[in-house]
Coordinates of all heavy atoms in Angstrom, one line a residue:
G1 N -33.5 198.6 46.8 CA -33.0 199.9 47.2 C -33.1 200.9 46.0 O -32.7 202.0 46.2
L2 N -33.7 200.5 44.9 CA -33.8 201.4 43.7 C -35.1 202.1 43.7 O -35.3 203.0 42.8 CB -33.5 200.6 42.4 CG -32.2 200.0 42.2 CD1 -32.1 199.2 40.9 CD2 -31.1 201.1 42.2
D3 N -36.1 201.7 44.5 CA -37.4 202.3 44.4 C -37.4 203.7 44.7 O -36.7 204.2 45.6 CB -38.4 201.6 45.3 CG -38.9 200.2 44.8 OD1 -38.7 200.0 43.6 OD2 -39.4 199.4 45.6
V4 N -38.2 204.5 44.0 CA -38.3 205.9 44.2 C -39.4 206.1 45.2 O -40.5 205.6 45.0 CB -38.6 206.7 42.9 CG1 -38.9 208.1 43.1 CG2 -37.5 206.5 41.9
P5 N -39.2 206.8 46.3 CA -40.3 207.1 47.2 C -41.5 207.7 46.6 O -41.4 208.6 45.7 CB -39.7 208.0 48.3 CG -38.2 207.9 48.1 CD -38.0 207.5 46.7
M6 N -42.7 207.4 47.0 CA -43.9 207.9 46.4 C -43.9 209.4 46.5 O -44.4 210.1 45.5 CB -45.2 207.4 47.2 CG -45.6 206.0 46.8 SD -46.2 205.9 45.1 CE -47.8 206.7 45.4
E7 N -43.5 210.0 47.6 CA -43.5 211.4 47.7 C -42.6 212.1 46.6 O -43.0 213.2 46.2 CB -42.9 211.8 49.1 CG -43.7 211.2 50.3 CD -43.3 209.8 50.5 OE1 -42.1 209.4 50.4 OE2 -44.2 209.0 50.9
A8 N -41.5 211.5 46.2 CA -40.6 212.1 45.2 C -41.3 212.1 43.8 O -40.9 212.9 43.0 CB -39.3 211.3 45.2
A9 N -42.2 211.2 43.6 CA -42.8 211.0 42.3 C -44.2 211.7 42.2 O -44.8 211.7 41.1 CB -42.9 209.6 41.9
S10 N -44.7 212.2 43.3 CA -46.1 212.7 43.3 C -46.4 213.8 42.3 O -47.4 213.7 41.6 CB -46.5 213.2 44.7 OG -46.6 212.1 45.6
A11 N -45.5 214.7 42.2 CA -45.7 215.8 41.2 C -45.8 215.3 39.8 O -46.6 215.8 39.0 CB -44.7 216.9 41.4
V12 N -44.9 214.4 39.4 CA -44.9 213.9 38.1 C -46.1 213.0 37.8 O -46.7 213.1 36.8 CB -43.6 213.1 37.8 CG1 -43.6 212.4 36.5 CG2 -42.4 214.0 38.0
R13 N -46.5 212.2 38.9 CA -47.7 211.4 38.7 C -48.9 212.3 38.4 O -49.7 211.9 37.6 CB -47.9 210.6 40.0 CG -49.2 209.7 39.9 CD -49.5 209.0 41.2 NE -49.5 209.9 42.4 CZ -50.5 210.7 42.7 NH1 -51.6 210.8 41.9 NH2 -50.4 211.5 43.8
V14 N -49.0 213.4 39.1 CA -50.2 214.3 38.9 C -50.2 214.8 37.5 O -51.3 214.9 36.9 CB -50.2 215.4 40.0 CG1 -51.2 216.5 39.6 CG2 -50.4 214.9 41.4
Q15 N -49.0 215.1 36.9 CA -49.0 215.6 35.5 C -49.4 214.4 34.6 O -50.2 214.7 33.6 CB -47.6 216.0 35.2 CG -47.2 217.3 35.9 CD -45.7 217.7 35.6 OE1 -44.9 216.8 35.4 NE2 -45.5 219.0 35.6
F16 N -49.0 213.2 34.8 CA -49.4 212.1 34.0 C -50.9 211.9 34.1 O -51.6 211.7 33.1 CB -48.7 210.8 34.5 CG -47.4 210.5 33.9 CD1 -46.3 210.4 34.7 CD2 -47.2 210.4 32.5 CE1 -45.0 210.2 34.1 CE2 -46.0 210.2 31.9 CZ -44.9 210.0 32.7
E17 N -51.4 212.0 35.3 CA -52.9 211.8 35.5 C -53.7 212.9 34.7 O -54.7 212.6 34.1 CB -53.2 211.9 37.0 CG -52.8 210.7 37.7 CD -53.0 210.8 39.2 OE1 -53.3 211.8 39.8 OE2 -53.0 209.7 39.9
K18 N -53.2 214.1 34.8 CA -53.9 215.2 34.0 C -53.9 214.9 32.5 O -54.9 215.1 31.9 CB -53.2 216.5 34.3 CG -53.8 217.7 33.7 CD -53.1 219.0 34.0 CE -53.7 220.2 33.3 NZ -52.9 221.4 33.5
E19 N -52.7 214.5 32.0 CA -52.6 214.2 30.6 C -53.4 213.0 30.1 O -54.0 213.0 29.1 CB -51.1 214.0 30.2 CG -50.3 215.3 30.2 CD -50.8 216.4 29.3 OE1 -51.2 216.0 28.1 OE2 -50.9 217.5 29.7
L20 N -53.5 212.0 31.0 CA -54.1 210.7 30.6 C -55.6 210.7 31.0 O -56.4 209.9 30.6 CB -53.4 209.6 31.3 CG -52.0 209.3 30.8 CD1 -51.3 208.3 31.6 CD2 -52.0 208.9 29.3
G21 N -56.0 211.7 31.8 CA -57.4 211.8 32.2 C -57.9 210.7 33.1 O -59.1 210.4 33.1
R22 N -57.0 210.2 33.9 CA -57.4 209.1 34.9 C -56.4 209.1 36.0 O -55.3 209.5 35.8 CB -57.6 207.8 34.2 CG -56.3 207.2 33.7 CD -56.5 206.0 32.9 NE -56.6 206.4 31.5 CZ -56.4 205.7 30.5 NH1 -56.1 204.4 30.6 NH2 -56.4 206.1 29.3
R23 N -56.9 208.6 37.1 CA -56.0 208.4 38.3 C -55.1 207.2 38.1 O -55.5 206.2 37.6 CB -56.8 208.2 39.5 CG -56.0 208.3 40.8 CD -56.9 208.2 42.0 NE -56.3 208.4 43.3 CZ -55.3 207.9 43.8 NH1 -54.5 207.1 43.0 NH2 -54.8 208.1 45.0
L24 N -53.8 207.4 38.4 CA -52.8 206.3 38.2 C -52.5 205.7 39.6 O -51.7 206.3 40.3 CB -51.5 206.8 37.6 CG -51.7 207.5 36.2 CD1 -50.4 208.0 35.7 CD2 -52.3 206.5 35.2
W25 N -53.0 204.5 39.8 CA -52.7 203.8 41.0 C -51.3 203.3 41.0 O -50.6 203.4 42.0 CB -53.7 202.7 41.3 CG -53.3 201.9 42.5 CD1 -53.6 202.2 43.8 CD2 -52.5 200.7 42.5 NE1 -53.0 201.2 44.6 CE2 -52.3 200.3 43.9 CE3 -51.9 199.9 41.5 CZ2 -51.6 199.2 44.3 CZ3 -51.1 198.8 41.9 CH2 -51.0 198.5 43.3
P26 N -50.8 202.8 39.9 CA -49.4 202.2 40.0 C -48.4 203.3 40.4 O -48.5 204.4 39.9 CB -49.2 201.7 38.6 CG -50.5 201.6 37.9 CD -51.4 202.6 38.6
H27 N -47.5 202.9 41.2 CA -46.5 203.8 41.6 C -45.6 204.2 40.5 O -45.1 203.3 39.8 CB -45.7 203.2 42.7 CG -46.5 202.7 43.9 ND1 -47.2 203.5 44.7 CD2 -46.7 201.4 44.4 CE1 -47.8 202.8 45.6 NE2 -47.5 201.6 45.4
L28 N -45.4 205.4 40.2 CA -44.5 205.9 39.2 C -43.1 205.4 39.6 O -42.3 205.1 38.7 CB -44.5 207.4 39.1 CG -43.7 208.1 38.0 CD1 -44.2 207.5 36.7 CD2 -43.8 209.6 38.1
G29 N -42.8 205.2 40.9 CA -41.5 204.7 41.3 C -41.3 203.3 40.7 O -40.1 202.9 40.5
E30 N -42.4 202.5 40.6 CA -42.2 201.2 40.0 C -41.7 201.3 38.6 O -40.9 200.5 38.1 CB -43.5 200.4 40.0 CG -44.0 200.0 41.4 CD -43.2 198.9 42.0 OE1 -42.6 198.1 41.2 OE2 -43.1 198.9 43.2
A31 N -42.2 202.2 37.8 CA -41.7 202.4 36.5 C -40.2 202.8 36.4 O -39.5 202.3 35.6 CB -42.5 203.5 35.8
W32 N -39.8 203.7 37.3 CA -38.4 204.0 37.4 C -37.6 202.8 37.8 O -36.5 202.6 37.2 CB -38.2 205.1 38.5 CG -38.5 206.5 38.0 CD1 -39.6 207.2 38.5 CD2 -37.8 207.3 37.1 NE1 -39.6 208.5 37.8 CE2 -38.5 208.5 37.0 CE3 -36.7 207.1 36.3 CZ2 -38.1 209.5 36.1 CZ3 -36.3 208.1 35.4 CH2 -37.0 209.3 35.4
T33 N -38.0 202.0 38.7 CA -37.3 200.8 39.1 C -37.1 199.9 38.0 O -36.0 199.3 37.7 CB -38.0 200.1 40.3 OG1 -38.1 201.0 41.4 CG2 -37.2 198.9 40.7
E34 N -38.2 199.7 37.2 CA -38.1 198.8 36.0 C -37.1 199.4 35.0 O -36.3 198.6 34.4 CB -39.5 198.7 35.4 CG -40.4 197.8 36.2 CD -39.9 196.3 36.2 OE1 -39.6 195.7 35.2 OE2 -39.8 195.8 37.4
L35 N -37.1 200.7 34.8 CA -36.2 201.3 33.9 C -34.7 201.1 34.4 O -33.9 200.8 33.6 CB -36.5 202.8 33.7 CG -35.7 203.6 32.7 CD1 -35.8 203.0 31.3 CD2 -36.2 205.0 32.7
Y36 N -34.5 201.3 35.6 CA -33.1 201.1 36.2 C -32.7 199.6 36.0 O -31.6 199.4 35.6 CB -33.1 201.4 37.7 CG -33.2 202.8 38.1 CD1 -33.8 203.1 39.3 CD2 -32.8 203.8 37.3 CE1 -33.9 204.5 39.7 CE2 -32.9 205.2 37.7 CZ -33.5 205.5 38.9 OH -33.6 206.8 39.3
A37 N -33.6 198.7 36.2 CA -33.3 197.3 36.0 C -32.9 197.0 34.6 O -32.0 196.2 34.3 CB -34.5 196.4 36.4
E38 N -33.6 197.7 33.6 CA -33.2 197.5 32.2 C -31.8 198.0 31.9 O -31.1 197.5 31.2 CB -34.3 198.1 31.3 CG -35.6 197.3 31.3 CD -36.6 197.9 30.4 OE1 -36.4 199.0 29.8 OE2 -37.7 197.4 30.4
W39 N -31.6 199.2 32.5 CA -30.2 199.8 32.3 C -29.2 198.9 32.8 O -28.1 198.6 32.2 CB -30.1 201.2 32.9 CG -30.8 202.3 32.2 CD1 -31.1 202.4 30.9 CD2 -31.3 203.5 32.8 NE1 -31.8 203.5 30.6 CE2 -31.9 204.2 31.8 CE3 -31.3 204.0 34.1 CZ2 -32.5 205.5 32.0 CZ3 -31.9 205.2 34.3 CH2 -32.5 206.0 33.3
L40 N -29.4 198.4 34.1 CA -28.4 197.5 34.7 C -28.2 196.2 33.9 O -27.1 195.7 33.7 CB -28.8 197.2 36.1 CG -28.7 198.3 37.1 CD1 -29.3 197.9 38.4 CD2 -27.3 198.8 37.3
W41 N -29.3 195.7 33.4 CA -29.2 194.5 32.5 C -28.4 194.7 31.3 O -27.6 193.9 30.9 CB -30.6 194.0 32.1 CG -30.6 192.8 31.2 CD1 -30.5 191.5 31.5 CD2 -30.7 192.9 29.8 NE1 -30.5 190.7 30.4 CE2 -30.6 191.6 29.3 CE3 -30.9 193.9 28.8 CZ2 -30.7 191.3 27.9 CZ3 -30.9 193.6 27.5 CH2 -30.9 192.3 27.1
S42 N -28.6 195.9 30.7 CA -27.8 196.2 29.5 C -26.4 196.4 29.8 O -25.5 196.0 29.0 CB -28.4 197.5 28.9 OG -29.7 197.4 28.4
I43 N -26.0 196.9 30.9 CA -24.6 197.2 31.3 C -24.0 196.0 31.9 O -22.9 195.6 31.5 CB -24.6 198.4 32.2 CG1 -25.0 199.7 31.5 CG2 -23.1 198.6 32.8 CD1 -25.3 200.8 32.4
A44 N -24.6 195.4 32.9 CA -24.0 194.3 33.7 C -24.5 192.9 33.4 O -24.0 192.0 34.0 CB -24.2 194.6 35.2
G45 N -25.3 192.8 32.4 CA -25.9 191.5 32.1 C -25.1 190.6 31.2 O -25.7 189.8 30.4
G46 N -23.8 190.8 31.1 CA -23.0 190.0 30.3 C -22.3 190.7 29.1 O -21.5 190.1 28.4
A47 N -22.6 192.0 28.9 CA -22.0 192.8 27.9 C -20.5 193.0 28.3 O -20.2 193.3 29.4 CB -22.7 194.1 27.7
R48 N -19.7 192.8 27.3 CA -18.2 193.0 27.5 C -17.6 194.2 26.9 O -16.5 194.6 27.3 CB -17.5 191.7 27.0 CG -17.8 190.5 27.8 CD -17.1 189.3 27.3 NE -17.5 188.2 28.0 CZ -17.0 187.0 27.8 NH1 -16.0 186.8 27.0 NH2 -17.5 186.0 28.5
T49 N -18.4 194.8 26.0 CA -17.9 196.0 25.4 C -19.0 197.1 25.3 O -20.2 196.7 25.5 CB -17.5 195.8 23.9 OG1 -18.6 195.4 23.1 CG2 -16.4 194.6 23.8
L50 N -18.6 198.3 25.1 CA -19.6 199.4 25.0 C -20.6 199.1 23.8 O -21.8 199.3 23.9 CB -19.0 200.7 24.8 CG -19.9 201.9 24.8 CD1 -20.7 202.0 26.0 CD2 -19.0 203.2 24.6
G51 N -20.1 198.5 22.7 CA -20.9 198.1 21.6 C -22.0 197.1 22.0 O -23.1 197.2 21.6
E52 N -21.6 196.1 22.8 CA -22.6 195.1 23.3 C -23.6 195.8 24.2 O -24.8 195.4 24.1 CB -21.9 194.0 24.0 CG -21.1 193.1 23.1 CD -20.4 192.0 23.8 OE1 -20.4 191.9 25.1 OE2 -19.7 191.2 23.2
V53 N -23.2 196.7 25.0 CA -24.1 197.4 25.9 C -25.2 198.2 25.0 O -26.4 198.1 25.2 CB -23.4 198.4 26.8 CG1 -24.4 199.4 27.5 CG2 -22.6 197.7 27.8
R54 N -24.7 198.8 24.0 CA -25.6 199.6 23.1 C -26.5 198.6 22.4 O -27.7 198.9 22.2 CB -24.7 200.4 22.0 CG -24.1 201.6 22.6 CD -23.3 202.3 21.5 NE -22.7 203.5 22.1 CZ -21.5 203.9 21.9 NH1 -20.7 203.2 21.1 NH2 -21.0 205.0 22.4
E55 N -26.0 197.5 21.9 CA -26.9 196.5 21.3 C -28.0 196.0 22.2 O -29.1 195.8 21.8 CB -26.1 195.3 20.7 CG -25.2 195.6 19.5 CD -24.3 194.5 19.1 OE1 -24.6 193.3 19.5 OE2 -23.3 194.7 18.4
R56 N -27.6 195.7 23.4 CA -28.5 195.2 24.4 C -29.6 196.2 24.7 O -30.8 195.9 24.9 CB -27.8 194.7 25.7 CG -27.0 193.5 25.5 CD -26.1 193.2 26.7 NE -26.9 192.8 27.9 CZ -27.2 191.5 28.2 NH1 -26.8 190.6 27.4 NH2 -27.9 191.3 29.3
W57 N -29.2 197.5 24.9 CA -30.1 198.6 25.2 C -31.1 198.8 24.0 O -32.3 198.9 24.2 CB -29.4 199.8 25.5 CG -30.3 200.9 25.9 CD1 -30.4 202.1 25.2 CD2 -31.2 201.0 27.0 NE1 -31.4 202.9 25.8 CE2 -31.9 202.2 26.9 CE3 -31.5 200.1 28.0 CZ2 -32.9 202.6 27.8 CZ3 -32.5 200.5 28.9 CH2 -33.2 201.7 28.8
A58 N -30.5 198.7 22.8 CA -31.4 198.9 21.6 C -32.4 197.8 21.5 O -33.6 198.0 21.2 CB -30.5 199.0 20.3
S59 N -32.0 196.6 21.8 CA -32.9 195.4 21.8 C -34.0 195.6 22.9 O -35.2 195.4 22.6 CB -32.1 194.1 22.1 OG -33.0 193.1 22.2
Q60 N -33.6 196.1 24.1 CA -34.5 196.3 25.1 C -35.5 197.4 24.8 O -36.7 197.3 25.1 CB -33.8 196.6 26.4 CG -34.7 196.7 27.6 CD -35.5 195.4 27.9 OE1 -35.0 194.3 27.7 NE2 -36.7 195.6 28.3
L61 N -35.1 198.4 24.1 CA -36.0 199.5 23.7 C -37.0 199.0 22.7 O -38.2 199.4 22.8 CB -35.2 200.7 23.1 CG -34.4 201.5 24.1 CD1 -33.5 202.5 23.3 CD2 -35.2 202.2 25.1
R62 N -36.6 198.2 21.8 CA -37.5 197.7 20.8 C -38.6 196.8 21.5 O -39.8 196.9 21.2 CB -36.8 196.9 19.7 CG -36.1 197.7 18.7 CD -35.6 196.9 17.5 NE -34.7 195.8 17.9 CZ -33.4 195.9 18.1 NH1 -32.8 197.1 18.0 NH2 -32.7 194.9 18.5
C63 N -38.2 195.9 22.3 CA -39.1 195.0 23.1 C -40.0 195.9 23.9 O -41.3 195.6 23.9 CB -38.3 194.1 23.9 SG -39.3 193.0 24.9
S64 N -39.5 196.8 24.6 CA -40.3 197.7 25.5 C -41.4 198.5 24.7 O -42.5 198.6 25.2 CB -39.4 198.6 26.3 OG -40.2 199.4 27.2
E65 N -41.0 199.0 23.6 CA -41.9 199.7 22.8 C -43.1 198.9 22.3 O -44.2 199.3 22.3 CB -41.2 200.4 21.6 CG -42.1 201.2 20.7 CD -41.3 202.0 19.6 OE1 -40.1 201.7 19.4 OE2 -41.9 202.8 19.0
Q66 N -42.7 197.7 21.9 CA -43.8 196.7 21.5 C -44.8 196.4 22.6 O -46.0 196.3 22.4 CB -43.2 195.5 20.9 CG -42.5 195.7 19.6 CD -41.6 194.5 19.2 OE1 -41.5 193.5 19.9 NE2 -41.1 194.5 18.0
Q67 N -44.2 196.2 23.8 CA -45.0 195.8 24.9 C -45.9 197.0 25.3 O -47.1 196.8 25.6 CB -44.1 195.4 26.1 CG -43.4 194.1 25.9 CD -42.4 193.9 27.0 OE1 -41.7 194.9 27.5 NE2 -42.2 192.7 27.4
A68 N -45.3 198.2 25.4 CA -46.1 199.4 25.7 C -47.2 199.7 24.7 O -48.4 200.0 25.1 CB -45.2 200.6 25.8
A69 N -46.9 199.5 23.4 CA -47.9 199.7 22.4 C -49.1 198.7 22.5 O -50.2 199.1 22.4 CB -47.3 199.6 21.0
A70 N -48.8 197.5 22.8 CA -49.8 196.5 23.0 C -50.7 196.8 24.2 O -52.0 196.7 24.1 CB -49.2 195.1 23.2
V71 N -50.1 197.2 25.3 CA -50.9 197.5 26.5 C -51.7 198.8 26.2 O -52.9 198.8 26.5 CB -50.0 197.7 27.7 CG1 -50.8 198.3 28.9 CG2 -49.4 196.4 28.1
W72 N -51.1 199.8 25.7 CA -51.8 201.1 25.4 C -53.0 200.9 24.4 O -54.0 201.5 24.6 CB -50.8 202.1 24.9 CG -51.4 203.5 24.7 CD1 -51.7 204.1 23.5 CD2 -52.0 204.3 25.7 NE1 -52.3 205.3 23.8 CE2 -52.5 205.5 25.1 CE3 -52.1 204.2 27.1 CZ2 -53.1 206.5 25.8 CZ3 -52.7 205.2 27.8 CH2 -53.2 206.3 27.2
A73 N -52.8 200.1 23.4 CA -53.9 199.8 22.4 C -55.1 199.3 23.1 O -56.2 199.6 22.7 CB -53.4 198.9 21.4
R74 N -54.9 198.6 24.2 CA -56.1 198.0 24.9 C -56.7 198.9 25.9 O -57.9 198.8 26.2 CB -55.7 196.7 25.7 CG -55.3 195.6 24.8 CD -54.9 194.4 25.6 NE -54.7 193.3 24.7 CZ -55.5 192.2 24.7 NH1 -56.5 192.1 25.6 NH2 -55.3 191.2 23.9
I75 N -56.0 199.9 26.4 CA -56.5 200.8 27.4 C -56.6 202.2 27.1 O -57.1 203.0 27.9 CB -55.7 200.6 28.7 CG1 -54.3 201.1 28.6 CG2 -55.7 199.1 29.2 CD1 -53.5 201.2 29.8
M76 N -56.2 202.7 25.9 CA -56.1 204.1 25.7 C -57.4 204.9 25.8 O -57.4 206.0 26.1 CB -55.4 204.4 24.3 CG -56.2 203.9 23.2 SD -55.2 204.2 21.7 CE -56.4 203.9 20.4
D77 N -58.5 204.2 25.5 CA -59.8 204.9 25.6 C -60.5 204.7 27.0 O -61.6 205.2 27.2 CB -60.7 204.4 24.5 CG -60.2 204.9 23.1 OD1 -59.6 205.9 23.0 OD2 -60.4 204.1 22.2
A78 N -59.8 204.0 27.8 CA -60.4 203.7 29.2 C -60.5 205.0 30.0 O -59.6 205.9 29.8 CB -59.6 202.7 29.9
T79 N -61.4 205.1 30.9 CA -61.5 206.2 31.8 C -61.4 205.8 33.2 O -61.4 206.6 34.1 CB -62.9 207.0 31.6 OG1 -63.9 206.1 31.8 CG2 -62.9 207.6 30.2
E80 N -61.4 204.5 33.5 CA -61.3 204.0 34.8 C -59.9 204.3 35.4 O -58.9 204.4 34.6 CB -61.5 202.5 34.9 CG -62.8 202.1 34.4 CD -62.9 201.8 32.9 OE1 -61.8 201.6 32.3 OE2 -64.0 201.9 32.4
D81 N -59.8 204.4 36.7 CA -58.5 204.6 37.3 C -57.6 203.3 37.0 O -58.1 202.2 36.9 CB -58.6 204.7 38.8 CG -59.3 206.0 39.3 OD1 -59.5 206.9 38.4 OD2 -59.7 206.1 40.4
E82 N -56.3 203.5 36.9 CA -55.4 202.4 36.6 C -55.1 201.8 38.0 O -54.7 202.4 38.9 CB -54.1 202.9 36.0 CG -54.2 203.5 34.6 CD -54.7 202.4 33.6 OE1 -54.6 201.2 33.9 OE2 -55.3 202.8 32.6
R83 N -55.3 200.5 38.1 CA -55.1 199.7 39.3 C -54.1 198.6 39.2 O -54.1 197.7 40.0 CB -56.5 199.2 39.8 CG -57.5 200.3 40.1 CD -58.7 199.7 40.8 NE -59.8 200.7 40.8 CZ -59.8 201.7 41.7 NH1 -58.9 201.9 42.5 NH2 -60.9 202.5 41.7
T84 N -53.4 198.5 38.1 CA -52.5 197.4 37.9 C -51.1 197.9 37.7 O -50.9 199.1 37.2 CB -52.9 196.6 36.6 OG1 -52.6 197.4 35.5 CG2 -54.3 196.2 36.7
N85 N -50.1 197.1 38.0 CA -48.7 197.5 37.8 C -48.3 197.3 36.4 O -47.3 197.8 35.9 CB -47.8 196.7 38.7 CG -47.8 197.3 40.1 OD1 -48.0 198.4 40.3 ND2 -47.5 196.4 41.1
V86 N -49.2 196.6 35.6 CA -48.9 196.4 34.2 C -48.7 197.8 33.5 O -47.8 198.0 32.7 CB -50.0 195.6 33.5 CG1 -49.8 195.6 32.0 CG2 -50.0 194.2 34.0
F87 N -49.6 198.7 33.8 CA -49.5 200.1 33.3 C -48.2 200.7 33.6 O -47.5 201.3 32.7 CB -50.7 200.9 33.8 CG -50.7 202.3 33.1 CD1 -51.3 202.4 31.8 CD2 -50.3 203.4 33.7 CE1 -51.4 203.6 31.2 CE2 -50.4 204.6 33.1 CZ -50.9 204.7 31.8
A88 N -47.8 200.6 34.9 CA -46.5 201.2 35.3 C -45.3 200.5 34.6 O -44.4 201.1 34.1 CB -46.3 201.1 36.8
Y89 N -45.3 199.2 34.6 CA -44.2 198.4 34.0 C -44.0 198.6 32.5 O -42.9 198.5 32.1 CB -44.4 196.9 34.3 CG -44.3 196.6 35.8 CD1 -44.8 195.4 36.2 CD2 -43.6 197.4 36.7 CE1 -44.7 195.0 37.6 CE2 -43.5 197.0 38.0 CZ -44.0 195.8 38.4 OH -43.9 195.5 39.7
Y90 N -45.1 198.8 31.8 CA -45.0 198.9 30.4 C -45.2 200.3 29.8 O -44.3 200.8 29.1 CB -45.9 197.9 29.7 CG -45.6 196.5 30.0 CD1 -46.4 195.8 30.9 CD2 -44.4 195.9 29.5 CE1 -46.0 194.5 31.2 CE2 -44.1 194.6 29.9 CZ -44.9 193.9 30.7 OH -44.5 192.6 31.1
V91 N -46.3 200.9 30.1 CA -46.6 202.2 29.5 C -45.8 203.4 30.1 O -45.1 204.1 29.4 CB -48.1 202.5 29.5 CG1 -48.4 203.9 28.9 CG2 -48.9 201.4 28.8
L92 N -45.9 203.5 31.4 CA -45.2 204.6 32.1 C -43.7 204.5 31.9 O -43.0 205.4 31.7 CB -45.5 204.7 33.5 CG -46.9 205.2 33.9 CD1 -47.1 205.2 35.4 CD2 -47.2 206.6 33.3
K93 N -43.2 203.2 32.0 CA -41.7 203.0 31.8 C -41.3 203.4 30.4 O -40.3 204.1 30.3 CB -41.4 201.5 32.0 CG -40.0 201.2 31.8 CD -39.7 199.7 32.0 CE -40.4 199.0 30.8 NZ -40.1 197.6 30.8
W94 N -42.1 203.1 29.4 CA -41.7 203.5 28.1 C -41.7 205.0 27.9 O -40.8 205.6 27.3 CB -42.7 202.9 27.1 CG -42.3 203.1 25.7 CD1 -41.3 202.5 24.9 CD2 -42.9 204.2 24.8 NE1 -41.3 203.1 23.7 CE2 -42.2 204.1 23.6 CE3 -43.9 205.1 25.0 CZ2 -42.5 205.0 22.5 CZ3 -44.1 206.0 24.0 CH2 -43.5 205.9 22.8
I95 N -42.7 205.7 28.5 CA -42.7 207.2 28.5 C -41.5 207.8 29.1 O -40.9 208.8 28.6 CB -44.0 207.7 29.2 CG1 -45.2 207.3 28.3 CG2 -44.0 209.2 29.3 CD1 -46.6 207.5 29.0
L96 N -41.0 207.2 30.2 CA -39.9 207.7 30.9 C -38.5 207.6 30.1 O -37.6 208.3 30.4 CB -39.7 207.0 32.2 CG -40.7 207.2 33.3 CD1 -40.5 206.3 34.5 CD2 -40.8 208.7 33.7
R97 N -38.5 206.8 29.1 CA -37.3 206.6 28.4 C -36.9 207.9 27.7 O -36.0 208.3 27.3 CB -37.5 205.5 27.3 CG -37.7 204.2 28.0 CD -38.0 203.2 26.9 NE -38.3 202.0 27.6 CZ -37.4 201.2 28.1 NH1 -36.1 201.4 27.9 NH2 -37.8 200.1 28.7

């Protein structure tokens, strides 16, 4: 129930496509859903204090940045349309932060 409808994300997707110079097949909504999941994990995944939530979120941010950088390094010069959810899960999600 956390997915963002395609229609709600279309305008933002078009802006991303213009900036990146390629069509983005992955649903921008998928990136939002992954971001929500990370927030929920940080808050409800066993943290007992606000400090633990902050630590979990900081850890997730570091991991996500490393993942996005690795994916982007492989595809940044590509001109083909994006057809994988890997782009949405890692690169777009990191941008949305």
Side-chain angles (χ1 to χ4, degrees):
L2 296 177
D3 283 344
V4 174
M6 282 290 289
E7 303 78 36
S10 290
V12 175
R13 179 187 49 78
V14 169
Q15 289 175 329
F16 274 119
E17 289 177 343
K18 182 179 176 185
E19 289 299 318
L20 296 171
R22 67 188 93 158
R23 190 174 185 314
L24 301 178
W25 175 83
H27 305 296
L28 187 58
E30 290 290 331
W32 281 110
T33 301
E34 287 295 308
L35 184 58
Y36 290 151
E38 290 178 2
W39 285 335
L40 291 173
W41 175 83
S42 296
I43 295 166
R48 295 182 182 184
T49 67
L50 184 56
E52 288 178 359
V53 169
R54 286 183 179 133
E55 287 175 20
R56 291 170 69 89
W57 182 243
S59 174
Q60 185 59 40
L61 287 175
R62 284 189 303 274
C63 178
S64 180
E65 184 174 8
Q66 291 169 353
Q67 292 170 326
V71 171
W72 184 246
R74 290 179 174 247
I75 66 168
M76 66 184 189
D77 293 327
T79 57
E80 299 88 20
D81 293 347
E82 294 298 338
R83 300 189 190 284
T84 69
N85 283 333
V86 171
F87 187 79
Y89 291 159
Y90 297 108
V91 178
L92 289 179
K93 177 183 68 174
W94 184 79
I95 293 169
L96 292 174
R97 294 176 187 280

